[in-house]
Amino acid sequence: MNEPHNLDGCYFRIQRDGKSVTLCFSDLTPEERAEVLSGKDETWLKSLCGHLADVLQALGEQFKLFGED
């Protein structure tokens, strides 16, 4: 596995290679993400999506990834 980037600030405790580790949502594998999302209600999912969108917006601004208006 690659080193974690810790970009989104949404940490989850998971089992990886027989060890309990804490990783950001964006550093999880697709299978781990599916496990984290399993059983969550609509409000929880909307909150996560909103937070991830805020992080993307902030990264775009920080690194000037947007075109000029």
Side-chain angles (χ1 to χ4, degrees):
M1 289 273 153
N2 295 334
E3 288 295 315
H5 296 102
N6 299 314
L7 292 175
D8 62 63
C10 290
Y11 292 91
F12 296 93
R13 196 128 185 97
I14 61 156
Q15 292 292 316
R16 187 179 275 183
D17 300 324
K19 297 177 185 171
S20 184
V21 295
T22 302
L23 294 170
C24 276
F25 186 76
S26 56
D27 289 323
L28 300 176
T29 66
E31 295 80 12
E32 292 165 342
R33 280 186 232 135
E35 186 175 329
V36 165
L37 296 174
S38 178
K40 300 298 192 270
D41 67 14
E42 181 179 348
T43 301
W44 190 95
L45 293 169
K46 284 182 177 181
S47 177
L48 177 62
C49 288
H51 175 77
L52 294 174
D54 292 343
V55 169
L56 286 171
Q57 183 76 27
L59 288 171
E61 289 174 4
Q62 180 180 355
F63 294 104
K64 300 179 183 358
L65 300 176
F66 305 113
E68 304 238 356
D69 289 354

